[in-house]
Coordinates of all heavy atoms in Angstrom, one line a residue:
M245 N 0.8 -1.2 0.0 CA 0.0 0.0 0.0 C 0.9 1.3 0.0 O 0.6 2.2 -0.7 CB -0.9 -0.1 1.2 CG -2.0 1.0 1.2 SD -3.1 0.7 -0.1 CE -4.5 1.7 0.4
Q246 N 2.0 1.2 0.8 CA 2.9 2.3 0.9 C 3.5 2.6 -0.5 O 3.8 3.8 -0.8 CB 3.9 2.1 2.0 CG 4.5 3.4 2.5 CD 5.3 3.1 3.7 OE1 5.7 2.0 4.0 NE2 5.6 4.1 4.4
N247 N 3.9 1.6 -1.2 CA 4.5 1.8 -2.5 C 3.5 2.5 -3.5 O 4.0 3.3 -4.3 CB 4.9 0.4 -3.1 CG 6.2 -0.1 -2.6 OD1 6.9 0.7 -2.0 ND2 6.5 -1.4 -2.7
I248 N 2.2 2.2 -3.4 CA 1.2 2.9 -4.3 C 1.2 4.4 -4.0 O 1.2 5.2 -4.9 CB -0.1 2.2 -4.2 CG1 -0.1 0.8 -4.7 CG2 -1.2 3.0 -4.9 CD1 -1.3 0.0 -4.5
E249 N 1.2 4.7 -2.7 CA 1.2 6.1 -2.3 C 2.4 6.8 -2.7 O 2.3 8.0 -3.2 CB 1.0 6.2 -0.7 CG -0.3 5.8 -0.2 CD -0.4 5.8 1.3 OE1 0.6 5.9 1.9 OE2 -1.5 5.5 1.8
L250 N 3.6 6.2 -2.6 CA 4.8 6.8 -3.1 C 4.8 7.0 -4.6 O 5.3 8.0 -5.1 CB 6.0 5.9 -2.7 CG 6.5 6.1 -1.3 CD1 7.6 5.0 -1.0 CD2 7.1 7.5 -1.1
T251 N 4.2 6.1 -5.3 CA 4.1 6.2 -6.8 C 3.2 7.4 -7.1 O 3.6 8.2 -8.0 CB 3.5 4.9 -7.4 OG1 4.3 3.8 -7.0 CG2 3.3 5.0 -8.9
Y252 N 2.1 7.6 -6.4 CA 1.2 8.7 -6.7 C 1.9 10.1 -6.4 O 1.9 11.0 -7.1 CB -0.1 8.7 -5.8 CG -1.1 7.7 -6.4 CD1 -1.6 6.7 -5.6 CD2 -1.5 7.7 -7.7 CE1 -2.6 5.8 -6.1 CE2 -2.4 6.8 -8.2 CZ -2.9 5.9 -7.4 OH -3.8 5.0 -7.9
V253 N 2.6 10.1 -5.2 CA 3.4 11.3 -4.9 C 4.5 11.6 -5.9 O 4.7 12.7 -6.3 CB 4.0 11.2 -3.4 CG1 5.0 12.3 -3.2 CG2 2.9 11.1 -2.4
S254 N 5.1 10.6 -6.3 CA 6.2 10.7 -7.3 C 5.6 11.3 -8.6 O 6.2 12.2 -9.3 CB 6.9 9.4 -7.5 OG 7.9 9.5 -8.5
W255 N 4.5 10.7 -9.1 CA 3.8 11.2 -10.3 C 3.3 12.6 -10.2 O 3.5 13.4 -11.1 CB 2.6 10.3 -10.7 CG 3.0 9.1 -11.5 CD1 3.2 7.8 -11.2 CD2 3.2 9.2 -13.0 NE1 3.5 7.1 -12.3 CE2 3.5 7.9 -13.4 CE3 3.1 10.2 -13.9 CZ2 3.8 7.6 -14.7 CZ3 3.4 9.9 -15.2 CH2 3.7 8.6 -15.6
A256 N 2.8 12.9 -9.1 CA 2.3 14.3 -8.8 C 3.4 15.3 -8.8 O 3.3 16.4 -9.4 CB 1.5 14.3 -7.5
T257 N 4.5 14.9 -8.2 CA 5.6 15.8 -8.1 C 6.2 16.0 -9.6 O 6.5 17.2 -10.0 CB 6.7 15.2 -7.2 OG1 6.2 15.0 -5.9 CG2 7.9 16.2 -7.1
T258 N 6.3 15.0 -10.3 CA 6.8 15.0 -11.7 C 5.9 15.9 -12.6 O 6.4 16.8 -13.3 CB 7.0 13.6 -12.3 OG1 7.9 12.9 -11.5 CG2 7.5 13.7 -13.7
A259 N 4.6 15.6 -12.4 CA 3.6 16.4 -13.2 C 3.7 17.9 -12.9 O 3.7 18.8 -13.8 CB 2.2 15.9 -13.0
L260 N 3.9 18.2 -11.6 CA 4.0 19.6 -11.2 C 5.2 20.2 -11.8 O 5.2 21.4 -12.3 CB 4.0 19.6 -9.6 CG 3.4 20.9 -9.0 CD1 1.9 21.0 -9.3 CD2 3.6 20.8 -7.5
A261 N 6.3 19.5 -11.7 CA 7.6 20.1 -12.2 C 7.5 20.3 -13.7 O 8.0 21.3 -14.2 CB 8.8 19.1 -11.8
V262 N 7.0 19.3 -14.4 CA 6.8 19.5 -15.9 C 5.9 20.6 -16.2 O 6.2 21.4 -17.1 CB 6.3 18.2 -16.5 CG1 6.0 18.4 -18.0 CG2 7.4 17.1 -16.4
G263 N 4.8 20.7 -15.5 CA 3.8 21.8 -15.7 C 4.5 23.2 -15.5 O 4.3 24.1 -16.3
Y264 N 5.3 23.3 -14.5 CA 5.9 24.6 -14.2 C 6.9 24.9 -15.2 O 7.1 26.0 -15.7 CB 6.5 24.5 -12.8 CG 7.1 25.9 -12.3 CD1 6.2 26.9 -12.1 CD2 8.5 26.1 -12.1 CE1 6.7 28.2 -11.7 CE2 9.0 27.3 -11.8 CZ 8.1 28.3 -11.5 OH 8.6 29.6 -11.2
A265 N 7.7 23.9 -15.7 CA 8.7 24.1 -16.7 C 8.0 24.5 -18.0 O 8.5 25.5 -18.7 CB 9.5 22.8 -16.9
V266 N 6.9 24.0 -18.4 CA 6.1 24.4 -19.6 C 5.6 25.8 -19.4 O 5.7 26.6 -20.3 CB 5.0 23.4 -19.8 CG1 4.0 24.0 -20.9 CG2 5.5 22.0 -20.3
Y267 N 5.1 26.1 -18.2 CA 4.7 27.5 -18.0 C 5.8 28.5 -18.2 O 5.6 29.5 -18.8 CB 4.1 27.6 -16.5 CG 3.9 29.0 -16.1 CD1 2.9 29.8 -16.5 CD2 4.8 29.6 -15.2 CE1 2.7 31.1 -16.1 CE2 4.7 30.9 -14.8 CZ 3.6 31.7 -15.2 OH 3.5 33.0 -14.8
L268 N 7.0 28.2 -17.6 CA 8.1 29.2 -17.8 C 8.5 29.3 -19.2 O 8.9 30.4 -19.7 CB 9.3 28.7 -16.9 CG 9.1 28.8 -15.4 CD1 10.3 28.2 -14.7 CD2 8.9 30.2 -15.0
T269 N 8.4 28.2 -20.0 CA 8.8 28.2 -21.4 C 7.8 29.0 -22.2 O 8.2 29.8 -23.1 CB 9.0 26.8 -21.9 OG1 9.9 26.1 -21.1 CG2 9.4 26.8 -23.3
M270 N 6.6 28.8 -21.9 CA 5.5 29.4 -22.8 C 5.2 30.8 -22.3 O 4.5 31.6 -23.1 CB 4.2 28.6 -22.7 CG 4.5 27.1 -23.1 SD 5.0 27.0 -24.9 CE 3.4 27.3 -25.6
K271 N 5.6 31.3 -21.2 CA 5.2 32.6 -20.7 C 5.7 33.7 -21.6 O 6.8 33.7 -22.0 CB 5.8 32.8 -19.3 CG 5.4 34.1 -18.6 CD 5.9 34.1 -17.2 CE 7.3 34.7 -17.2 NZ 7.8 35.1 -15.9
A272 N 4.8 34.6 -22.0 CA 5.2 35.6 -22.9 C 6.1 36.6 -22.3 O 5.9 36.9 -21.1 CB 3.9 36.4 -23.4
P273 N 7.2 37.1 -23.0 CA 8.1 38.0 -22.4 C 7.5 39.3 -22.0 O 7.9 39.9 -21.1 CB 9.1 38.2 -23.5 CG 8.8 37.3 -24.6 CD 7.5 36.7 -24.4
S274 N 6.4 39.7 -22.6 CA 5.7 41.0 -22.3 C 5.1 40.9 -20.9 O 4.8 42.0 -20.3 CB 4.7 41.3 -23.3 OG 3.7 40.3 -23.3
E275 N 5.0 39.7 -20.3 CA 4.5 39.7 -18.9 C 5.5 40.2 -17.9 O 5.1 40.5 -16.8 CB 4.1 38.2 -18.6 CG 2.9 37.7 -19.3 CD 2.5 36.3 -19.0 OE1 2.9 35.8 -17.9 OE2 1.9 35.7 -19.8
D276 N 6.7 40.2 -18.3 CA 7.8 40.7 -17.4 C 8.0 42.2 -17.7 O 8.6 42.5 -18.8 CB 9.1 39.9 -17.6 CG 10.1 40.3 -16.6 OD1 10.0 41.3 -15.9 OD2 11.2 39.6 -16.6
P277 N 7.6 43.1 -16.8 CA 7.8 44.5 -17.1 C 9.2 45.0 -17.4 O 9.4 45.9 -18.2 CB 7.2 45.2 -15.9 CG 6.6 44.2 -15.1 CD 7.0 42.9 -15.5
A278 N 10.1 44.3 -16.8 CA 11.5 44.6 -17.1 C 12.0 44.3 -18.5 O 13.0 44.8 -19.0 CB 12.5 43.9 -16.1
K279 N 11.2 43.4 -19.2 CA 11.6 43.0 -20.6 C 10.7 43.7 -21.6 O 10.8 43.3 -22.8 CB 11.5 41.5 -20.7 CG 12.6 40.8 -19.9 CD 12.5 39.3 -20.1 CE 13.7 38.6 -19.4 NZ 13.6 37.2 -19.6
K280 N 9.9 44.6 -21.2 CA 8.9 45.2 -22.1 C 9.7 46.3 -22.9 O 10.4 47.1 -22.4 CB 7.8 45.8 -21.4 CG 6.6 46.2 -22.2 CD 5.4 46.6 -21.4 CE 4.2 46.9 -22.3 NZ 3.1 47.2 -21.5
R281 N 9.4 46.4 -24.2 CA 10.1 47.4 -25.1 C 9.5 48.8 -24.8 O 8.4 48.9 -24.6 CB 9.8 47.1 -26.6 CG 10.5 45.9 -27.1 CD 10.3 45.9 -28.6 NE 11.0 46.9 -29.2 CZ 12.0 46.8 -30.0 NH1 12.4 45.6 -30.4 NH2 12.6 47.8 -30.5
L282 N 10.4 49.8 -24.9 CA 10.0 51.2 -24.8 C 9.7 51.7 -26.3 O 8.8 52.4 -26.5 CB 11.1 52.0 -24.2 CG 11.4 51.8 -22.7 CD1 12.5 52.6 -22.3 CD2 10.1 52.1 -21.9
N283 N 10.6 51.3 -27.2 CA 10.5 51.8 -28.5 C 9.7 50.8 -29.3 O 10.0 49.7 -29.6 CB 11.9 51.9 -29.1 CG 11.9 52.3 -30.6 OD1 10.9 52.8 -31.1 ND2 13.0 52.1 -31.3
A284 N 8.5 51.3 -29.8 CA 7.6 50.5 -30.6 C 7.5 50.8 -32.0 O 6.8 50.2 -32.8 CB 6.2 50.5 -30.0
K285 N 8.2 51.9 -32.5 CA 8.1 52.3 -33.9 C 9.3 53.0 -34.5 O 9.3 53.2 -35.7 CB 6.9 53.3 -34.0 CG 7.1 54.6 -33.3 CD 5.9 55.5 -33.5 CE 6.1 56.9 -33.1 NZ 4.9 57.8 -33.3
I286 N 10.3 53.3 -33.8 CA 11.4 54.1 -34.4 C 12.6 53.2 -34.7 O 13.2 52.6 -33.9 CB 11.9 55.2 -33.4 CG1 10.7 56.2 -33.1 CG2 13.1 56.0 -33.9 CD1 10.9 57.0 -31.9
Q287 N 12.9 53.2 -36.1 CA 14.1 52.5 -36.6 C 14.2 51.1 -36.0 O 15.2 50.7 -35.5 CB 15.3 53.3 -36.3 CG 15.3 54.7 -36.9 CD 16.6 55.5 -36.6 OE1 17.6 54.9 -36.4 NE2 16.4 56.8 -36.6
L288 N 13.1 50.3 -36.1 CA 13.0 49.0 -35.5 C 14.0 48.0 -36.2 O 14.3 47.0 -35.6 CB 11.6 48.4 -35.4 CG 10.6 49.3 -34.6 CD1 9.2 48.7 -34.7 CD2 11.1 49.3 -33.1
D289 N 14.4 48.3 -37.4 CA 15.3 47.4 -38.1 C 16.8 47.5 -37.6 O 17.6 46.7 -38.0 CB 15.3 47.7 -39.6 CG 15.6 49.2 -39.9 OD1 15.2 50.1 -39.1 OD2 16.3 49.4 -40.9
K290 N 17.0 48.5 -36.7 CA 18.4 48.7 -36.2 C 18.6 48.1 -34.8 O 17.6 48.1 -34.0 CB 18.8 50.2 -36.2 CG 18.8 50.8 -37.6 CD 19.2 52.3 -37.5 CE 19.3 52.9 -38.9 NZ 19.7 54.3 -38.8
P291 N 19.8 47.6 -34.5 CA 20.0 47.0 -33.2 C 20.0 48.1 -32.1 O 19.7 47.8 -30.9 CB 21.3 46.3 -33.3 CG 22.0 46.9 -34.5 CD 20.9 47.4 -35.4
K292 N 20.3 49.4 -32.5 CA 20.4 50.5 -31.5 C 20.1 51.8 -32.2 O 20.6 52.0 -33.3 CB 21.7 50.5 -30.9 CG 21.9 51.6 -29.8 CD 23.3 51.8 -29.3 CE 23.9 50.5 -28.7 NZ 25.2 50.7 -28.2
V293 N 19.2 52.6 -31.6 CA 18.9 53.9 -32.2 C 19.8 55.0 -31.6 O 19.8 55.2 -30.4 CB 17.4 54.3 -32.0 CG1 17.1 55.7 -32.5 CG2 16.5 53.3 -32.5
V294 N 20.6 55.6 -32.5 CA 21.6 56.6 -32.0 C 21.4 57.8 -32.9 O 21.4 57.7 -34.1 CB 23.0 56.1 -32.1 CG1 24.0 57.2 -31.6 CG2 23.2 54.9 -31.2
D295 N 21.2 59.0 -32.3 CA 21.1 60.2 -33.1 C 22.1 61.2 -32.6 O 22.4 61.2 -31.4 CB 19.7 60.8 -32.9 CG 18.6 59.9 -33.5 OD1 18.7 59.8 -34.8 OD2 17.8 59.4 -32.8
T296 N 22.6 62.1 -33.5 CA 23.6 63.1 -33.1 C 23.0 64.5 -33.5 O 22.4 64.6 -34.6 CB 24.9 62.8 -33.8 OG1 25.4 61.5 -33.5 CG2 25.9 63.9 -33.5
C297 N 23.3 65.4 -32.7 CA 22.9 66.8 -33.0 C 24.0 67.7 -32.6 O 24.4 67.7 -31.4 CB 21.5 67.2 -32.3 SG 21.0 68.9 -32.6
D298 N 24.5 68.5 -33.5 CA 25.5 69.5 -33.1 C 24.9 70.7 -32.4 O 23.9 71.2 -32.9 CB 26.3 69.9 -34.3 CG 27.1 68.8 -34.9 OD1 27.6 67.9 -34.2 OD2 27.3 68.8 -36.2
I299 N 25.5 71.1 -31.3 CA 24.9 72.2 -30.5 C 24.8 73.5 -31.4 O 23.9 74.3 -31.2 CB 25.7 72.4 -29.2 CG1 25.0 73.3 -28.2 CG2 27.1 73.0 -29.5 CD1 23.9 72.5 -27.4
E300 N 25.8 73.6 -32.3 CA 25.8 74.8 -33.2 C 24.5 74.9 -34.0 O 24.1 75.9 -34.5 CB 27.0 74.9 -34.0 CG 28.3 75.0 -33.3 CD 28.9 73.7 -32.7 OE1 28.4 72.6 -33.0 OE2 29.7 73.8 -31.8
D301 N 23.9 73.7 -34.3 CA 22.7 73.7 -35.2 C 21.5 74.1 -34.4 O 20.4 74.2 -35.1 CB 22.6 72.3 -35.8 CG 23.7 72.0 -36.7 OD1 24.4 72.9 -37.2 OD2 24.0 70.8 -37.0
I302 N 21.5 74.1 -33.1 CA 20.3 74.5 -32.3 C 20.2 76.0 -32.3 O 21.1 76.7 -31.9 CB 20.4 73.9 -30.9 CG1 20.4 72.4 -30.9 CG2 19.3 74.4 -30.0 CD1 20.7 71.7 -29.6
K303 N 19.0 76.4 -32.7 CA 18.7 77.9 -32.7 C 17.8 78.1 -31.5 O 16.6 77.7 -31.5 CB 18.1 78.3 -34.0 CG 18.8 77.8 -35.2 CD 19.2 78.9 -36.2 CE 19.8 78.4 -37.4 NZ 21.0 77.6 -37.3
G304 N 18.3 78.8 -30.5 CA 17.4 79.1 -29.3 C 17.3 77.9 -28.4 O 18.0 77.9 -27.4
K305 N 16.5 76.9 -28.8 CA 16.4 75.7 -27.9 C 16.1 74.5 -28.8 O 15.4 74.6 -29.9 CB 15.4 75.9 -26.8 CG 13.9 75.9 -27.3 CD 13.0 76.0 -26.1 CE 11.6 76.1 -26.6 NZ 10.6 76.2 -25.4
G306 N 16.5 73.3 -28.4 CA 16.2 72.1 -29.0 C 15.4 71.3 -28.0 O 15.7 71.2 -26.8
V307 N 14.3 70.7 -28.5 CA 13.4 69.9 -27.7 C 13.4 68.5 -28.1 O 13.0 68.1 -29.2 CB 12.0 70.5 -27.7 CG1 11.1 69.7 -26.7 CG2 12.0 72.0 -27.4
F308 N 14.0 67.6 -27.3 CA 14.3 66.2 -27.7 C 13.3 65.2 -27.0 O 13.1 65.3 -25.8 CB 15.7 65.8 -27.5 CG 16.7 66.7 -28.2 CD1 17.2 67.9 -27.7 CD2 17.1 66.3 -29.5 CE1 18.1 68.6 -28.5 CE2 17.9 67.1 -30.3 CZ 18.4 68.2 -29.7
C309 N 12.8 64.3 -27.8 CA 11.9 63.3 -27.3 C 12.6 62.3 -26.3 O 13.7 61.8 -26.6 CB 11.3 62.5 -28.4 SG 10.2 61.2 -27.9
R310 N 12.0 62.0 -25.2 CA 12.4 60.9 -24.3 C 11.4 59.8 -24.1 O 11.6 58.9 -23.3 CB 12.8 61.5 -23.0 CG 14.0 62.5 -23.1 CD 14.6 62.8 -21.8 NE 13.6 63.5 -20.9 CZ 13.8 63.9 -19.7 NH1 15.0 63.7 -19.1 NH2 12.9 64.5 -19.0
C311 N 10.3 59.9 -24.8 CA 9.2 58.9 -24.6 C 9.1 57.9 -25.8 O 8.3 57.0 -25.7 CB 7.8 59.7 -24.5 SG 7.1 60.3 -26.1
W312 N 9.8 58.1 -26.8 CA 9.8 57.2 -28.0 C 8.5 57.2 -28.7 O 8.2 56.2 -29.4 CB 10.2 55.8 -27.6 CG 11.6 55.7 -27.1 CD1 12.0 55.8 -25.8 CD2 12.8 55.5 -27.8 NE1 13.4 55.7 -25.7 CE2 13.9 55.5 -27.0 CE3 13.0 55.3 -29.2 CZ2 15.2 55.3 -27.4 CZ3 14.3 55.1 -29.6 CH2 15.4 55.1 -28.7
K313 N 7.7 58.2 -28.6 CA 6.4 58.2 -29.3 C 6.4 59.3 -30.4 O 5.4 59.3 -31.2 CB 5.3 58.5 -28.3 CG 5.2 57.6 -27.1 CD 4.8 56.3 -27.4 CE 4.7 55.4 -26.2 NZ 4.6 54.0 -26.5
S314 N 7.3 60.1 -30.5 CA 7.3 61.2 -31.4 C 7.4 60.8 -32.9 O 8.2 59.9 -33.2 CB 8.5 62.2 -31.1 OG 8.5 63.2 -32.1
S315 N 6.6 61.4 -33.8 CA 6.8 61.2 -35.2 C 7.9 61.9 -35.8 O 8.3 61.7 -36.9 CB 5.5 61.6 -35.9 OG 4.4 60.8 -35.5
K316 N 8.5 62.8 -35.0 CA 9.7 63.6 -35.5 C 10.9 63.2 -34.7 O 11.9 64.0 -34.6 CB 9.4 65.1 -35.3 CG 8.2 65.6 -36.1 CD 8.0 67.1 -35.8 CE 6.9 67.7 -36.6 NZ 6.6 69.1 -36.3
F317 N 11.0 62.0 -34.2 CA 12.1 61.6 -33.4 C 13.4 61.8 -34.1 O 13.5 61.6 -35.3 CB 12.0 60.1 -33.1 CG 12.8 59.6 -32.0 CD1 12.4 59.7 -30.7 CD2 14.1 59.1 -32.2 CE1 13.3 59.3 -29.6 CE2 14.9 58.7 -31.2 CZ 14.5 58.8 -29.9
P318 N 14.4 62.4 -33.5 CA 14.6 62.5 -32.0 C 14.0 63.8 -31.4 O 14.2 64.0 -30.2 CB 16.1 62.5 -31.9 CG 16.6 63.2 -33.1 CD 15.7 62.8 -34.2
Y319 N 13.3 64.5 -32.2 CA 12.7 65.8 -31.7 C 11.3 65.5 -31.1 O 10.6 64.6 -31.6 CB 12.6 66.8 -32.8 CG 13.9 67.2 -33.3 CD1 14.4 66.7 -34.5 CD2 14.8 68.0 -32.6 CE1 15.6 67.0 -35.0 CE2 16.1 68.3 -33.1 CZ 16.5 67.8 -34.3 OH 17.7 68.0 -34.8
C320 N 10.9 66.2 -30.1 CA 9.6 66.0 -29.5 C 8.5 66.7 -30.3 O 8.7 67.8 -30.9 CB 9.6 66.8 -28.1 SG 8.0 66.9 -27.3
D321 N 7.4 66.0 -30.5 CA 6.3 66.6 -31.2 C 5.0 66.7 -30.3 O 3.9 66.9 -30.8 CB 5.9 65.7 -32.5 CG 5.3 64.4 -32.2 OD1 5.3 64.0 -31.0 OD2 4.9 63.7 -33.1
G322 N 5.2 66.5 -29.0 CA 4.1 66.6 -28.1 C 3.4 65.3 -27.9 O 2.4 65.2 -27.1
S323 N 3.8 64.2 -28.5 CA 3.1 62.9 -28.4 C 3.1 62.4 -26.9 O 2.3 61.6 -26.6 CB 3.7 61.9 -29.3 OG 3.5 62.2 -30.6
H324 N 4.1 62.9 -26.1 CA 4.2 62.4 -24.8 C 2.9 62.8 -24.0 O 2.6 62.1 -23.0 CB 5.4 63.0 -24.1 CG 5.5 64.5 -24.0 ND1 6.1 65.2 -25.0 CD2 5.0 65.4 -23.1 CE1 5.9 66.5 -24.7 NE2 5.3 66.6 -23.6
N325 N 2.2 63.8 -24.3 CA 1.0 64.2 -23.6 C -0.1 63.2 -23.7 O -0.7 62.8 -22.7 CB 0.5 65.6 -24.2 CG 1.4 66.7 -23.8 OD1 1.9 66.8 -22.7 ND2 1.7 67.5 -24.8
A326 N -0.3 62.6 -25.0 CA -1.3 61.6 -25.1 C -0.8 60.3 -24.4 O -1.7 59.6 -23.8 CB -1.5 61.3 -26.6
H327 N 0.5 60.0 -24.5 CA 1.0 58.8 -23.8 C 0.7 59.0 -22.3 O 0.3 58.0 -21.6 CB 2.5 58.7 -24.1 CG 3.2 57.7 -23.2 ND1 3.1 56.3 -23.3 CD2 3.9 57.9 -22.1 CE1 3.7 55.7 -22.4 NE2 4.3 56.7 -21.6
N328 N 1.0 60.1 -21.7 CA 0.8 60.4 -20.3 C -0.6 60.3 -19.9 O -1.0 59.7 -18.9 CB 1.4 61.7 -19.9 CG 2.9 61.7 -19.9 OD1 3.6 60.7 -19.9 ND2 3.5 62.9 -19.8
D329 N -1.5 60.8 -20.7 CA -3.0 60.8 -20.5 C -3.5 59.3 -20.5 O -4.3 58.9 -19.6 CB -3.7 61.6 -21.5 CG -3.6 63.1 -21.3 OD1 -3.1 63.5 -20.2 OD2 -3.9 63.8 -22.3
T330 N -2.9 58.5 -21.4 CA -3.4 57.1 -21.6 C -2.9 56.2 -20.4 O -3.6 55.4 -19.9 CB -2.9 56.6 -22.9 OG1 -3.5 57.4 -23.9 CG2 -3.4 55.2 -23.1
T331 N -1.6 56.4 -20.1 CA -0.9 55.5 -19.2 C -0.8 56.0 -17.7 O -0.5 55.2 -16.9 CB 0.5 55.2 -19.7 OG1 1.3 56.4 -19.7 CG2 0.4 54.6 -21.1
G332 N -0.9 57.3 -17.5 CA -0.6 57.8 -16.2 C 0.8 58.0 -16.0 O 1.3 58.3 -14.9
D333 N 1.6 57.9 -17.1 CA 3.1 58.1 -17.0 C 3.3 59.6 -16.8 O 2.4 60.5 -16.9 CB 3.7 57.6 -18.3 CG 5.1 57.1 -18.0 OD1 5.7 57.4 -17.0 OD2 5.6 56.3 -18.9
N334 N 4.6 60.0 -16.7 CA 4.9 61.4 -16.5 C 6.2 61.8 -17.3 O 6.9 62.7 -16.9 CB 5.2 61.7 -15.0 CG 6.4 61.0 -14.5 OD1 6.9 60.1 -15.1 ND2 6.8 61.4 -13.3
V335 N 6.3 61.2 -18.5 CA 7.5 61.5 -19.3 C 7.3 62.8 -20.0 O 6.2 63.3 -20.3 CB 7.8 60.3 -20.3 CG1 8.1 59.1 -19.6 CG2 6.6 60.1 -21.3
G336 N 8.5 63.4 -20.4 CA 8.5 64.6 -21.1 C 9.8 64.8 -21.8 O 10.7 63.9 -21.7
P337 N 10.0 65.8 -22.6 CA 11.2 66.0 -23.4 C 12.4 66.5 -22.6 O 12.3 67.0 -21.5 CB 10.7 67.1 -24.4 CG 9.7 67.9 -23.7 CD 9.0 66.9 -22.8
L338 N 13.5 66.4 -23.3 CA 14.8 67.1 -22.8 C 14.8 68.4 -23.6 O 14.8 68.4 -24.9 CB 16.0 66.2 -23.1 CG 17.3 66.9 -23.0 CD1 17.6 67.3 -21.5 CD2 18.4 66.0 -23.6
I339 N 14.9 69.5 -22.9 CA 15.0 70.8 -23.6 C 16.4 71.3 -23.4 O 16.9 71.5 -22.3 CB 14.0 71.8 -23.0 CG1 12.6 71.2 -23.2 CG2 14.1 73.1 -23.7 CD1 11.5 72.1 -22.6
V340 N 17.1 71.6 -24.5 CA 18.4 72.1 -24.5 C 18.4 73.6 -24.9 O 17.9 73.9 -26.1 CB 19.4 71.3 -25.4 CG1 20.8 72.0 -25.4 CG2 19.4 69.9 -25.0
N341 N 18.7 74.5 -24.0 CA 18.7 75.9 -24.4 C 20.1 76.4 -24.8 O 21.1 76.0 -24.2 CB 18.3 76.7 -23.1 CG 16.8 76.5 -22.8 OD1 16.0 76.6 -23.6 ND2 16.6 76.2 -21.5
K342 N 20.1 77.1 -25.8 CA 21.4 77.7 -26.3 C 21.4 79.2 -25.9 O 20.5 79.9 -26.3 CB 21.5 77.6 -27.8 CG 22.8 78.0 -28.3 CD 23.0 77.7 -29.8 CE 24.3 78.1 -30.3 NZ 24.5 77.9 -31.7
K343 N 22.4 79.6 -25.1 CA 22.4 81.0 -24.7 C 23.3 81.8 -25.6 O 24.2 81.3 -26.2 CB 23.0 81.0 -23.2 CG 22.0 80.3 -22.3 CD 22.5 80.4 -20.9 CE 21.5 79.8 -19.9 NZ 21.9 79.9 -18.5
Ligands
LIG551 FE1 8.4 62.2 -26.8 FE2 7.6 64.7 -26.4 S1 7.0 63.4 -28.0 S2 8.9 63.6 -25.2

């Protein structure tokens, strides 16, 4: 009788371990907030988005996007306002003033 109980416990433990392993394998990466993409539309074909702006080219001030939603990236087009309204986030641009 004890061997039958051990067999059931052994099967249950194995099934639990296999089920958990399958869950970890199938779990979508988007469920982990640390692995969620910020950039959903800008130069997605590149491994890294890098932009350069010479300070001499800025007239008065440069307003640069930090939310990755701008259609004029790397410049801010105000899209962060809709993003903040939708998500409750508080992102905004980097403003560089030229004196
Ligand atoms: Fe991205 Fe303004 S649009 S910070």
Side-chain angles (χ1 to χ4, degrees):
M245 190 65 164
Q246 202 170 16
N247 279 345
I248 292 173
E249 289 173 354
L250 278 175
T251 301
Y252 283 129
V253 169
S254 180
W255 269 100
T257 304
T258 302
L260 210 64
V262 169
Y264 187 65
V266 168
Y267 165 74
L268 289 178
T269 302
M270 302 298 284
K271 187 173 85 169
S274 62
E275 291 178 21
D276 183 352
K279 293 185 177 180
K280 196 170 181 180
R281 289 189 68 113
L282 294 175
N283 178 15
K285 67 178 188 178
I286 299 165
Q287 301 176 27
L288 296 178
D289 58 322
K290 295 183 178 177
K292 185 189 298 183
V293 177
V294 178
D295 294 293
T296 302
C297 178
D298 292 330
I299 195 82
E300 293 81 14
D301 295 338
I302 296 175
K303 310 234 183 310
K305 68 178 180 181
V307 184
F308 297 92
C309 177
R310 295 192 298 178
C311 75
W312 294 91
K313 307 290 182 195
S314 176
S315 296
K316 297 178 179 178
F317 195 87
Y319 301 101
C320 173
D321 70 353
S323 296
H324 59 268
N325 292 312
H327 167 78
N328 288 346
D329 289 345
T330 302
T331 64
D333 211 340
N334 65 347
V335 297
L338 165 67
I339 300 173
V340 177
N341 290 311
K342 187 175 182 184
K343 294 183 178 181

